[in-house]
Amino acid sequence: MNFEEFLVKVGKNIQKARKEKGLTQENMDEGDYAVPVRTLQDIEAGRANFTANSIFKLSKRLKVKPRDLLDI
């Protein structure tokens, strides 16, 4: 697996967790641990090299462990 494939797989994990919680990308840009919609779109599409801060915020917002998002 190369780095680009890793980004895509992590993005799909994040998207799956978000949808399982019944949240839209717009919902993720609200409240505590908000992640901007554009940033989330890029991460979920595998186009962004996410930061540890983004993974932290996403895991808190989705109420999952960071490793659940990174587990490929």
Side-chain angles (χ1 to χ4, degrees):
M1 168 186 333
N2 64 33
F3 185 65
E4 289 77 22
E5 291 169 331
F6 171 75
L7 292 177
V8 169
K9 288 183 178 189
V10 171
K12 289 194 183 304
N13 285 350
I14 292 167
Q15 183 179 50
K16 180 180 177 208
R18 176 180 59 76
K19 288 183 176 182
E20 285 174 353
K21 302 285 183 178
L23 298 169
T24 66
Q25 290 176 332
E26 290 77 17
N27 294 142
M28 299 293 289
D29 197 8
E30 302 168 354
D32 294 337
Y33 308 110
V35 176
V37 172
R38 187 68 181 148
T39 300
L40 183 58
Q41 288 171 338
D42 288 343
I43 291 172
E44 286 186 357
R47 293 187 303 258
N49 184 3
F50 51 81
T51 64
N53 186 42
S54 294
I55 293 295
F56 174 78
K57 286 181 177 181
L58 288 165
S59 69
K60 288 293 191 182
R61 185 75 171 94
L62 294 168
K63 297 181 177 139
V64 299
K65 295 180 179 178
R67 72 173 175 223
D68 296 335
L69 301 177
L70 297 171
D71 185 26
I72 54 166

